Amino acid sequence: MDRAEKIVLGFSIGLMGAFFLALLLAARLAAIDVPPCLPPEIRPFSEGRVDTLPDGSRRIFYVARMWRFEPEIVEVPAGKPTEIFLSAADVTHGLYVSWTNTNLMAIPGAVNAYTFRIEKPGVYPIICHEYCGSAHQNMVAYIVAK
Amino acid sequence: MTIEVLLPLILLIIGIYHGFMQALYRAGVIQSADFLGIGYYQGLTLHGVVNAVVLTTFFGVVFGHAIMQYYLQRPLIGWVHALSTGLMVVGTLTAALPMLLGAADVLYTFYPPLRAHPAFYIGAAMLVVGSWVAFFGWLPLINAWRKENPDRPLPLAVLGMLVTFIIWFLCTIPLAIEVLFMLIPWSLGWVETINIPLARTLFWFFGHPLVYFWLLPAYVVYYVMLPRVAGGKLYSDRAARLAFILFLIFSIPVGLHHQYTEPGFSRFWKAVHALLTFAVAIPSFMTAFTVAASLEYAGVRQGGKGLFGWMWRLPWFDAERPLFAYSIAGLLIFIYGGLTGIVNASYNINQTIHNTGFISGHFHMTVGGPVFLMILGMSLELIRQLTGKPIRLKGWNVAVPYLWILGLVVFSTAMMYGGLLGQPRRTHMGLSYLDPSSPHFRADWVPTAYLTGIGATILTVAFVIYLAVLFSTLFGRAEAAAGVLSFPTAESLHPEASERELVNRLRPWLVVAGILIVVSYWVPLRQALGTPQGAPPYQPDNPIPLTQVRK
């Protein structure tokens, strides 16, 4: 290969490598990460629930089913971490908390999890973003940050 | 072979119509569950299956047939060709029936536990097996050519199509496992439940290499034909071969980047697939350079001066060389499409855009960009050669690709911006988020949803012009002998790689590819196999499992 091509090859490898390192740094330092793999002892559940932890923050157990989320409306304290566990009761669903990085798939047979924090009080719609049948477009829930 | 070129183009009328309708539904222009008897999700399934599966697979096979015949100077094996075409046509019709009857509203990813009529899966499997048969039929031709030409490397176009179909064959094996051993028995009711994470993992094991199966035939044209069409040479034959080899290695072990937001896989393996996805971007960067350098050479040779002067010497609007317009338009839009793809692959950045309109905006600039334009442009060229009929409405024809990318820029920018605002993909927004009387109405999504509709309208107009060109050509009179294949073929500017060099040997690279596949999928597949519960089938319109409905 000629020199220009070697430069291009080296440059693209360097560029993609730098991007990748930046992503890992964001995951490590800013704690922006993808959902983890939970141990298999955590079994799928079929009832939604909200727990209030001693520090006032919430742990929400969401069940996604055709075509609603349970619980439908949850209040969380702004500025405190909120922990989500997510189970699918029938088909595959999605859970996307508007204006946040909380973007999860609800997969039958496995439990998903994510922790996030809402700083600004307000109403945050949760949208189902995976096609789940004929009324998919109506599958909405709300988080109210106070 | 004319039938195999024409059948998917005719079906494409259905596919594009439903694409246009999607945009209208999503913008809230149509606020009903269906239009003319076909529902939103049914139309979305037709749009995806026809455009992304049927059209692309038929084109890959027929273009491969043409490349093998012309560059190896050998006829196809008759019965293999007939068997392959038969399987693909019957498979397509078998899958089309349940889709048209509304018994397979499962979208083109057919994620279980949503269940389609078994004929949908069986038809899709036949289409894939038909493409395998075509591929197996080329191998004896390639071997015979090699025996006759022991001291020459395989023609670049043949190498490119061979790599394309090796990737296709390898990645359709997990798909075949999913469809034959999980979905078909389950949809027939022979087994009660299946493992959903496993089915999804097998699907994406196939689903991402699939996009390189779509893309690489276009790369073959960019490397082999485009430099010659532009009046120049291929900058470097060796770099082109290296790019194909890199695709062979890196295009398969990347599927988990579609599953970043799913449970059941450890972060480490998601990150490994992110890194490998970044690696598969490298041959595309190389291609951008090599193709641009080849075009610069062509422009300079035709008198272009200065740093950018060569650009104006290229045959942008030459009605006699429409392949240039179709290629360059695809390449230009692919800069935007490729870079947004890197965004999607970016591990944690994906949290912002996963399953939003950003994804659909992106892939309309890849499979709906260079891939689609190459299918349109090359299909027309194949029809011209196979029928001997000259292309009619030539001026309109070269306008098609530019109008198309104009529509794409509007459509995809709006779609992606909407995605950043949280608009979900594949959702009938007209019934909720874009309906002012709905409690879910989102005023902040209105501008991008309307802009998407405007983009889709431009795209549809471009396609209608293409249809006018296609049909006036077909109904014209033959002026040359029919069935004589001939492709413009560029020489290499830098010396070609010899047949002994590593870039011209496939076996060692196949071993590397195999090792990477096993290493990258061993643990994720085991993690998926460890899922504690299976799932019964569901109809898209009923929250009660089909197994209970039947009882």
Side-chain angles (χ1 to χ4, degrees):
Chain A
M1 292 204 301
D2 79 358
R3 201 167 144 261
E5 281 169 342
K6 282 181 189 153
I7 293 173
V8 168
L9 188 58
F11 175 76
S12 18
I13 293 172
L15 187 70
M16 297 315 288
F19 275 171
F20 188 70
L21 284 181
L23 297 176
L24 292 188
L25 277 179
R28 260 301 134 82
L29 302 179
I32 304 168
D33 213 329
V34 300
C37 182
L38 299 180
E41 299 86 78
I42 301 183
R43 309 285 291 198
F45 45 90
S46 56
E47 274 175 32
R49 188 173 93 226
V50 185
D51 290 351
T52 304
L53 303 182
D55 65 346
S57 66
R58 300 287 146 82
R59 179 182 288 156
I60 313 172
F61 292 84
Y62 276 115
V63 174
R65 59 174 81 236
M66 294 158 102
W67 294 278
R68 62 201 152 87
F69 291 101
E70 291 169 12
E72 201 191 338
I73 300 174
V74 181
E75 272 186 25
V76 305
K80 283 196 172 147
T82 301
E83 212 179 334
I84 284 184
F85 289 91
L86 174 63
S87 202
D90 36 48
V91 299
T92 308
H93 300 274
L95 183 152
Y96 183 52
V97 183
S98 297
W99 313 301
T100 73
N101 287 335
T102 309
N103 187 333
L104 300 170
M105 297 298 294
I107 306 288
V111 179
N112 212 347
Y114 207 70
T115 302
F116 67 107
R117 187 168 29 207
I118 293 179
E119 302 293 348
K120 210 173 124 200
V123 179
Y124 291 77
I126 295 178
I127 310 282
C128 174
H129 64 26
E130 183 58 83
Y131 170 61
C132 58
S134 46
H136 159 56
Q137 63 281 345
N138 297 322
M139 193 166 157
V140 182
Y142 295 92
I143 283 188
V144 182
K146 283 197 169 160
Chain B
M1 256 166 58
T2 318
I3 286 299
E4 296 136 88
V5 185
L6 275 179
L7 177 76
L9 291 178
I10 305 289
L11 289 174
L12 191 57
I13 298 172
I14 303 175
I16 297 275
Y17 164 76
H18 285 295
F20 180 53
M21 296 309 286
Q22 297 307 308
L24 297 188
Y25 283 113
R26 282 179 65 94
V29 175
I30 304 174
Q31 290 184 340
S32 61
D34 50 28
F35 188 76
L36 297 179
I38 295 193
Y40 173 91
Y41 295 107
Q42 187 183 4
L44 181 51
T45 307
L46 284 162
H47 176 64
V49 172
V50 169
N51 296 23
V53 180
V54 175
L55 176 72
T56 51
T57 308
F58 267 90
F59 178 76
V61 167
V62 84
F63 185 57
H65 282 330
I67 291 287
M68 298 301 157
Q69 281 174 284
Y70 177 65
Y71 286 98
L72 301 174
Q73 288 299 315
R74 275 176 174 73
L76 299 174
I77 305 168
W79 69 270
V80 179
H81 181 199
L83 177 65
S84 141
T85 309
L87 278 168
M88 289 173 64
V89 171
V90 174
T92 302
L93 299 177
T94 309
L97 202 61
M99 282 193 288
L100 289 169
L101 294 174
D105 296 352
V106 291
L107 314 190
Y108 103 100
T109 44
F110 50 84
Y111 290 142
L114 287 176
R115 168 204 174 267
H117 189 278
F120 174 79
Y121 306 115
I122 293 168
M126 285 171 76
L127 174 66
V128 170
V129 172
S131 70
W132 287 355
V133 171
F135 169 51
F136 297 148
W138 300 335
L139 298 177
L141 311 185
I142 293 173
N143 283 336
W145 187 92
R146 274 199 170 129
K147 276 210 187 92
E148 259 177 42
N149 303 277
D151 49 355
R152 284 169 62 195
L154 271 184
L156 181 57
V158 174
L159 177 81
M161 289 314 288
L162 185 58
V163 166
T164 308
F165 272 80
I166 291 174
I167 292 173
W168 175 245
F169 180 65
L170 290 178
C171 80
T172 41
I173 293 172
L175 178 76
I177 294 173
E178 185 205 0
V179 170
L180 296 180
F181 298 109
M182 299 176 75
L183 297 180
I184 291 179
W186 172 81
S187 68
L188 287 166
W190 297 347
V191 294
E192 289 258 316
T193 64
I194 52 169
N195 178 336
I196 302 302
L198 180 64
R200 294 176 67 86
T201 310
L202 290 171
F203 182 83
W204 286 116
F205 200 147
F206 150 79
H208 200 78
L210 169 68
V211 311
Y212 300 106
F213 170 72
W214 296 338
L215 190 60
L216 291 187
Y219 274 35
V220 167
V221 179
Y222 297 154
Y223 280 123
V224 176
M225 301 176 197
L226 177 62
R228 177 66 184 270
V229 173
K233 291 182 178 180
L234 171 61
Y235 187 71
S236 163
D237 167 85
R238 191 177 282 112
R241 287 171 194 268
L242 178 62
F244 283 120
I245 297 293
L246 290 176
F247 277 116
L248 179 63
I249 299 173
F250 290 120
S251 63
I252 301 178
V254 295
L256 227 53
H257 76 236
H258 291 258
Q259 300 177 281
Y260 289 148
T261 59
E262 287 181 27
F265 308 106
S266 46
R267 285 171 169 163
F268 175 80
W269 289 101
K270 289 175 180 173
V272 167
H273 281 238
L275 182 65
L276 290 167
T277 312
F278 278 12
V280 78
I282 287 163
S284 284
F285 279 115
M286 288 172 59
T287 302
F289 173 80
T290 306
V291 173
S294 307
L295 294 179
E296 183 187 7
Y297 176 81
V300 169
R301 203 155 87 157
Q302 288 160 74
K305 298 258 182 317
L307 204 52
F308 298 108
W310 56 272
M311 287 186 184
W312 312 115
R313 302 284 170 160
L314 297 175
W316 296 87
F317 293 101
D318 187 341
E320 300 303 323
R321 290 185 270 177
L323 209 50
F324 185 84
Y326 278 97
S327 301
I328 197 77
L331 281 161
L332 289 176
I333 200 70
F334 193 49
I335 297 173
Y336 196 5
L339 293 179
T340 50
I342 293 173
V343 174
N344 303 343
S346 293
Y347 189 68
N348 34 11
I349 291 180
N350 178 64
Q351 288 298 120
T352 315
I353 45 101
H354 174 77
N355 261 0
T356 68
F358 193 93
I359 305 295
S360 334
H362 151 72
F363 68 67
H364 279 85
M365 294 190 295
T366 54
V367 64
V371 174
F372 185 74
L373 285 175
M374 189 53 73
I375 292 176
L376 293 192
M378 184 49 77
S379 293
L380 207 55
E381 175 63 19
L382 286 173
I383 285 168
R384 185 185 70 79
Q385 299 188 11
L386 290 168
T387 62
K389 295 173 179 175
I391 297 170
R392 309 267 168 192
L393 302 180
K394 285 188 276 196
W396 288 99
N397 186 30
V398 285
V400 169
Y402 299 112
L403 195 57
W404 184 264
I405 62 169
L406 172 71
L408 269 185
V409 167
V410 176
F411 173 89
S412 287
T413 306
M415 199 82 175
M416 291 193 300
Y417 199 91
L420 293 175
L421 299 173
Q423 251 172 32
R425 66 187 284 202
R426 33 197 207 183
T427 300
H428 187 346
M429 302 201 302
L431 284 185
S432 55
Y433 308 117
L434 263 289
D435 173 7
S437 64
S438 159
H440 307 314
F441 179 64
R442 291 285 297 261
D444 56 331
W445 292 353
V446 172
T448 48
Y450 269 90
L451 210 51
T452 307
I454 293 171
T457 309
I458 302 174
L459 293 168
T460 309
V461 169
F463 181 67
V464 170
I465 298 175
Y466 177 80
L467 284 181
V469 174
L470 175 69
F471 284 110
S472 56
T473 301
L474 280 173
F475 292 124
R477 194 167 295 158
E479 290 177 9
V484 184
L485 291 173
S486 166
F487 295 111
T489 306
E491 301 166 48
S492 181
L493 182 62
H494 290 289
E496 288 189 20
S498 88
E499 81 290 349
R500 276 189 207 83
E501 281 181 49
L502 220 44
V503 287
N504 278 321
R505 293 173 52 197
L506 283 176
R507 282 211 184 86
W509 299 116
L510 273 171
V511 173
V512 176
I515 292 172
L516 267 181
I517 292 171
V518 172
V519 169
S520 64
Y521 266 111
W522 185 262
V523 178
L525 277 174
R526 286 188 53 146
Q527 286 172 335
L529 278 166
T531 307
Q533 281 179 11
Y538 288 84
Q539 304 280 65
D541 58 354
N542 194 343
I544 298 167
L546 190 63
T547 34
Q548 284 179 33
V549 175
R550 281 203 187 112
K551 281 170 194 160

